[in-house]
């Protein structure tokens, strides 16, 4: 097979893009002057990503991303210039590069591109089909490719305003020691799931649909107007072969505009949609009405014969062997009816079969033999007709079962357990107490083991709180208090304050806890940026890399500035609350001057203020405190070791 090549322009110069015979490199050679040597050669091992224009684009372009050791990332854009085979050449080169990249990653040898006349006498088409079916698909959603795909990241930022706001604010407040490229890598390293999901959504395309139901002529100024695209015409031809036949036989006689205008007002159009035809209302068309009696059952039969249907579910195929012409008549729902009675059902069923048949399956290997596999056979097998499976269980032969299942109390436990069960707990405690008094120790055993019931007038919160052991009443009270405090804190943070930090949720919170919209937006943005810097701090701090010590120090300073930003938000919220309180007080005074009636005013009914901000960002402030304390502790230990 000849080497893969294509006519492509590079930097507005015409040339040829060639794939090497060993599939290890791709080179571009200019057309002028004739006989020129390749001026650009890209090794497959240095290629990190491939991007191609979509199939519906007028320009066929291939962008190759390369990364060389010691240098940054480079991009090379090739525009295929062939008038007829540009798309095919681009697809062939991209597929060959993808197979070579995947082979290098997996460690398997790269299949070489054989010259013509060598190897077995297999046709070129069969060789290409075998290579395509056997080659594994390149995973386009790996972390390395997602991190290097700048266009995908920018598209996600444009599609997600909250994530874009978090990114820009974090970029603005980042330490000066961290470059923009380093910050971008850190930012996206924790959001690969967002990039992967967005990439999958971009690759999804709309499938076939019932196009006739979406086309509806409109009457404007007593004139019927219709708008139809080329895509819709192609779908009509693929879903309704009758329309294609009518078009081929009559369009030379009729103009294109006249044909479609008459078709969408004809009885044939209503029949294909599954609607009933009214002889009195629907206008007749001498040309299109000739195809009303077209039998689509013949086409359906040919399609069924071409497809392989298992006999166990082929109802029409079993009709000859399991006829019900004799005996009791089948139920009404099982009797075949004519097309005229239920046109819409038959039309929709037939159209659904055509749409499904036109869609290519992605999970079927074309090299597999046609027929029923073992998994399909097991799923269709009538398990109810099988007999019970033979039990294959070990049989236990117990000679004396009385030792294990006895209702006698003397056999229900050990001798020590039976002896302790007969003792009176109060007598035992009194006896132990007397023995301790003889030894000069006067203590209350029930108080020491923390099981003594407290009096009703004693307050558990008053006085000193003794640290109880596990299972004591004091420990149970402390655990209960801690659980309820955690529930209350989680409830205050269950809105989109935390969801906005991930940059994916776009649902607005239903309550701002008494804060105004600008203050609440600042609070959400401050929380998101602080969480991002905390994430970067711990990544750098726990890396153990001594070369990142300066970066850790700058991030620690950034966390200190984050505390200042949180305090500024709290101060602004407090000022806003005081203004609202003064406003309400002024209204109360004006009401008193006007009516001489005093209104009771409670300042606590005005929500918001610094208390709300501190409550919402309490966990964030605690996380900053832990991070800074840990950094200061390690820094002090390092300084002590250097001085010592």
């Amino acid at each position: 097979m000849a080497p893969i090549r294509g006519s492509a322009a590079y930097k507005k110069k015409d040339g040829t893009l060639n794939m090497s015979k060993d599939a290890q490199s791709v080179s571009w050679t200019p057309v002028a002057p004739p006989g020129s040597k390749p001026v650009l050669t890209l090794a497959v091992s240095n290629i990190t990503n491939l991007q191609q224009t979509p199939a519906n684009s007028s320009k066929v372009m291939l962008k190759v991303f390369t990364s060389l050791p010691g240098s940054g990332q480079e991009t090379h854009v090739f525009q295929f210039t062939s008038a007829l085979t540009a798309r095919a050449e681009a697809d062939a080169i991209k597929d060959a590069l993808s197979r070579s990249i995947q082979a290098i990653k997996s460690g398997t040898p790269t299949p070489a591109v054989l010259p013509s006349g060598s190897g077995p006498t297999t046709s070129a088409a069969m060789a290409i089909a075998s290579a395509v079916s056997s080659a594994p698909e390149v995973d386009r959603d790996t972390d390395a490719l997602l991190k290097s795909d700048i266009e995908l990241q920018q598209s996600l930022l444009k599609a997600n305003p909250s994530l874009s706001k978090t990114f820009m604010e974090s970029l603005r407040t980042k330490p000066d020691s961290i470059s923009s490229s380093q910050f971008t890598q850190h930012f996206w390293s924790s959001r690969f799931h967002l990039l992967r999901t967005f990439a999958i959504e971009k690759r999804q395309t709309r499938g076939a649909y019932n196009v006739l139901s979406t086309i509806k002529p409109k009457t404007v100024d007593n004139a019927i107007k219709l708008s139809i695209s080329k895509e819709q015409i192609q779908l009509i031809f693929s879903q309704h072969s009758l329309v294609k036949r009518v078009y081929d036989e009559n369009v030379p006689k009729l103009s294109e505009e006249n044909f479609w205008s008459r078709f969408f007002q004809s009885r044939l159009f209503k029949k294909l949609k599954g609607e009933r035809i009214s002889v009195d209302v629907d206008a007749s068309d001498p040309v299109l009405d000739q195809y009303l009696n077209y039998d689509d059952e013949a086409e359906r039969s040919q399609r069924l014969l071409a497809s392989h249907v298992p006999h166990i579910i082929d109802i029409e195929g079993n009709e000859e062997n399991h006829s019900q012409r004799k005996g009791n008549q089948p139920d009404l729902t099982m009797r075949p009816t004519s097309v005229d009675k239920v046109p819409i059902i038959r039309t929709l069923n037939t159209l659904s079969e055509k749409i499904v048949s036109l869609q290519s399956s992605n999970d079927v290997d074309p090299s597999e033999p046609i027929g029923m596999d073992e998994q399909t056979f097991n799923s269709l097998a009538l398990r109810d007709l099988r007999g019970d499976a033979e039990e294959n269980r070990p049989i236990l032969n117990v000679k004396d079962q009385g030792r294990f299942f006895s209702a006698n109390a003397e056999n229900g436990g050990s001798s020590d357990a039976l002896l302790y069960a007969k003792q009176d707990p109060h007598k035992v405690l009194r006896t132990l107490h007397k023995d301790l008094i003889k030894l000069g120790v006067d203590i209350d055993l029930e108080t020491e083991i923390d099981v003594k019931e407290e009096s009703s007038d004693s307050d558990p919160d008053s006085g000193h709180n003794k640290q109880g052991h596990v299972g004591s009443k004091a420990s149970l009270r402390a655990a209960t208090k801690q659980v309820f405090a955690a529930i209350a804190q989680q409830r205050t943070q269950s809105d989109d304050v935390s969801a906005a930090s991930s940059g994916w949720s776009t649902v607005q919170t239903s309550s701002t806890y008494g804060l105004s919209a600008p203050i609440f937006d600042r609070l959400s943005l401050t929380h998101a940026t602080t969480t991002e810097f905390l994430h970067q701090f711990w990544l750098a701090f726990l890396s153990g890399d001594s070369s990142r010590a300066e970066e850790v120090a700058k991030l620690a300073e950034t966390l200190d500035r984050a505390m200042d930003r949180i305090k500024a938000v709290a101060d602004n919220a407090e000022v806003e609350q005081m203004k609202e309180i003064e406003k309400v007080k002024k209204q109360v005074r004006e009401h008193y001057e006007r009516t001489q009636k005093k209104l009771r005013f409670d300042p606590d009914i005005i929500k918001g203020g610094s208390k709300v901000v501190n409550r919402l960002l309490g966990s964030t402030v605690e996380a900053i405190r832990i991070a800074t304390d840990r950094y200061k502790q390690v820094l002090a230990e390092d300084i002590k070791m250097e001085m010592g």
Side-chain angles (χ1 to χ4, degrees):
M1 186 175 65
I4 301 175
R5 65 178 58 188
S7 300
Y10 178 67
K11 294 184 178 180
K12 298 183 180 180
K13 294 182 180 180
D14 294 336
T16 304
L17 191 63
N18 300 302
M19 190 76 182
S20 62
K21 295 181 180 180
D22 57 353
Q24 294 296 323
S25 63
V26 59
S27 60
W28 180 82
T29 306
V31 175
S36 300
K37 295 182 179 180
V39 298
L40 177 65
T41 302
L42 303 177
V44 176
S45 58
N46 296 330
I47 297 177
T48 59
N49 191 15
L50 297 172
Q51 290 184 1
Q52 187 179 3
T53 54
N56 56 1
S57 177
S58 59
K59 295 183 180 180
V60 182
M61 304 174 68
L62 178 64
K63 181 182 289 187
V64 182
F65 295 82
T66 59
S67 178
L68 298 176
S71 62
Q73 186 178 6
E74 297 180 357
T75 58
H76 306 275
V77 180
F78 303 95
Q79 182 176 354
F80 292 84
T81 57
S82 177
L84 300 177
T85 61
R87 179 64 60 181
E89 293 174 353
D91 293 339
I93 293 178
K94 182 183 178 183
D95 294 340
L97 289 175
S98 300
R99 291 195 298 270
S100 300
I101 294 172
Q102 184 65 23
I104 292 175
K105 290 182 178 180
S106 60
T108 58
T110 306
V113 180
L114 299 176
S116 58
S118 63
T121 59
T122 307
S123 64
M126 291 299 296
I128 294 176
S130 176
V132 172
S133 61
S134 60
E137 184 181 358
V138 178
D139 188 5
R140 294 175 291 180
D141 297 332
T142 60
D143 293 348
L145 295 179
L146 292 175
K147 184 184 293 186
S148 60
D149 196 344
I150 307 300
E151 293 184 1
L152 179 64
Q153 297 170 7
Q154 293 178 353
S155 300
L156 178 57
L157 291 177
K158 292 179 181 178
N160 195 334
S162 59
L163 181 62
S164 177
K165 187 184 297 183
T166 303
F167 176 81
M168 298 305 296
E169 181 66 18
S170 302
L171 183 63
R172 186 182 63 85
T173 57
K174 70 176 180 62
D176 297 335
S177 60
I178 301 178
S179 62
S180 299
S181 59
Q182 292 177 347
F183 170 78
T184 304
Q185 292 182 359
H186 289 319
F187 183 84
W188 292 113
S189 61
S190 60
R191 292 171 174 83
F192 285 136
H193 61 289
L194 301 181
L195 290 173
R196 188 172 291 107
T197 303
F198 186 71
I200 294 174
E201 290 180 354
K202 287 188 65 177
R203 289 198 298 266
Q204 290 178 348
T205 56
R206 183 180 182 182
Y209 58 95
N210 186 3
V211 63
L212 291 182
S213 62
T214 61
I215 300 176
K216 298 178 181 179
K218 298 181 180 179
T219 303
V220 180
D221 297 333
N222 296 327
I224 298 178
K225 294 186 178 181
L226 179 68
S227 177
I228 185 172
S229 61
K230 294 181 179 180
E231 179 189 3
Q232 291 175 328
I233 294 176
Q234 294 296 331
L235 285 176
I236 292 174
F237 287 162
S238 61
Q239 295 176 8
H240 304 279
S241 58
L242 177 59
V243 180
K244 185 176 182 181
R245 173 186 169 186
V246 176
Y247 178 86
D248 294 337
E249 294 180 359
N250 296 277
V251 165
K253 304 174 185 178
L254 301 175
S255 63
E256 183 100 7
E257 182 179 356
N258 189 17
F259 171 78
W260 290 113
S261 176
R262 294 174 63 174
F263 171 74
F264 288 111
Q265 301 179 51
S266 63
R267 299 179 180 180
L268 180 61
F269 175 66
K270 297 191 65 174
K271 179 184 178 182
L272 294 177
K273 289 181 62 178
E275 300 178 358
R276 293 183 180 272
I277 299 175
S278 178
V279 181
D280 300 332
V281 178
D282 298 328
S284 61
D285 192 308
V287 177
L288 301 179
D289 289 351
Q290 300 175 7
Y291 302 93
L292 288 175
N293 297 326
Y294 173 77
D295 188 11
D296 56 350
E297 290 295 329
E299 179 185 356
R300 182 172 179 271
S301 301
Q302 294 178 0
R303 189 168 61 254
L304 289 177
L305 290 175
S307 61
H308 179 78
V309 182
H311 294 295
I312 194 170
I313 60 174
D314 189 2
I315 301 178
E316 294 185 356
N318 296 334
E319 182 65 22
E320 297 179 358
N321 301 328
H322 301 280
S323 177
Q324 295 182 353
R325 297 174 182 174
K326 297 180 180 180
N328 295 332
Q329 190 177 15
D331 187 70
L332 180 62
T333 58
M334 301 300 295
R335 302 174 196 171
T337 57
S338 61
V339 183
D340 298 335
K341 292 186 178 180
V342 281
I344 184 64
I345 296 178
R346 289 185 177 270
T347 302
L348 293 179
N349 290 340
T350 304
L351 182 60
S352 300
E353 292 179 2
K354 291 181 180 179
I355 293 177
V356 172
S357 63
L358 291 175
Q359 299 297 322
S360 58
S361 180
N362 296 328
D363 55 352
V364 177
D365 189 357
S367 62
E368 292 183 354
I370 299 176
M372 184 187 304
D373 55 2
E374 184 178 358
Q375 183 179 3
T376 305
F377 175 79
N378 293 332
S379 63
L380 297 176
L382 301 179
R383 302 181 182 85
D384 295 342
L385 301 182
R386 299 177 181 176
D388 297 335
E390 183 180 357
E391 296 182 358
N392 186 13
R393 297 180 297 178
I395 300 176
L396 299 179
N397 296 320
V398 182
K399 295 181 179 180
D400 187 8
Q401 298 184 4
R403 294 184 302 169
F404 306 101
F405 309 100
S406 177
N408 299 328
E410 57 184 5
N411 296 330
S414 62
S415 57
D416 293 339
L418 295 176
L419 179 62
Y420 293 148
K422 295 179 181 179
Q423 299 292 332
D424 187 1
H426 296 284
K427 293 182 179 180
V428 173
L429 289 176
R430 284 197 297 268
T431 303
L432 291 175
H433 189 235
K434 291 179 181 179
D435 294 340
L436 292 174
I437 291 177
K438 292 179 181 180
L439 296 175
V441 179
D442 188 6
I443 59 174
D444 190 356
L445 294 177
E446 294 183 354
T447 304
E448 290 299 324
I449 63 176
D450 209 356
V451 297
K452 186 175 183 180
E453 295 290 340
E454 297 180 352
S455 59
S456 59
D457 56 348
S458 62
D459 188 4
D461 296 332
S462 62
H464 66 282
N465 294 327
K466 184 179 67 174
Q467 183 69 25
H469 60 80
V470 177
S472 64
K473 293 187 176 181
S475 299
L476 292 176
R477 285 196 301 269
T480 304
K481 185 177 180 180
Q482 183 179 4
V483 169
F484 280 109
I487 293 175
Q489 183 180 11
Q490 183 67 23
R491 183 178 180 181
T492 59
Q493 298 181 352
S494 60
D495 59 308
D496 288 334
V497 174
S498 59
S501 63
S502 64
W504 188 248
S505 176
T506 57
V507 181
Q508 297 296 330
T509 178
S510 59
S511 174
T512 57
Y513 299 95
L515 302 175
S516 63
I519 296 294
F520 190 80
D521 291 341
R522 284 185 56 191
L523 183 144
S524 303
L525 190 59
T526 303
H527 176 268
T529 55
T530 305
T531 304
E532 179 64 27
F533 288 129
L534 278 170
H535 178 74
Q536 296 185 11
F537 170 81
W538 286 115
L539 286 178
F541 183 80
L542 300 176
S543 64
D545 189 359
S546 58
S547 61
R548 303 181 66 179
E550 183 179 357
E551 179 184 352
V552 175
K554 294 295 184 180
L555 288 172
E557 296 178 2
T558 304
L559 293 180
D560 293 337
R561 290 196 296 269
M563 289 292 297
D564 297 337
R565 287 193 293 269
I566 293 175
K567 186 177 183 302
V569 174
D571 294 341
N572 292 338
E574 187 69 21
V575 172
E576 184 183 68
Q577 185 187 29
M578 296 305 298
K579 289 182 179 179
E580 188 67 23
I581 292 175
E582 292 297 330
K583 180 180 178 181
V584 176
K585 287 182 177 180
K586 182 179 179 181
Q587 294 177 356
V588 171
R589 288 194 299 268
E590 291 177 354
H591 182 271
Y592 175 75
E593 294 174 358
R594 188 171 56 255
T595 61
Q596 298 299 320
K597 293 182 180 179
K598 293 184 179 181
L599 295 178
R600 182 176 297 178
F601 170 66
D602 186 6
D604 294 336
I605 63 174
I606 306 298
K607 303 298 181 182
S610 59
K611 294 182 179 179
V612 174
V613 175
N614 295 331
R615 186 174 77 250
L616 292 177
L617 298 181
S619 58
T620 304
V621 173
E622 182 66 16
I624 295 175
R625 185 191 63 79
I626 294 174
T628 54
D629 291 348
R630 178 60 176 163
Y631 171 73
K632 292 177 182 178
Q633 178 184 358
V634 174
L635 182 61
E637 293 176 356
D638 292 343
I639 295 175
K640 184 177 180 181
M641 291 178 61
E642 292 178 357
M643 295 179 62

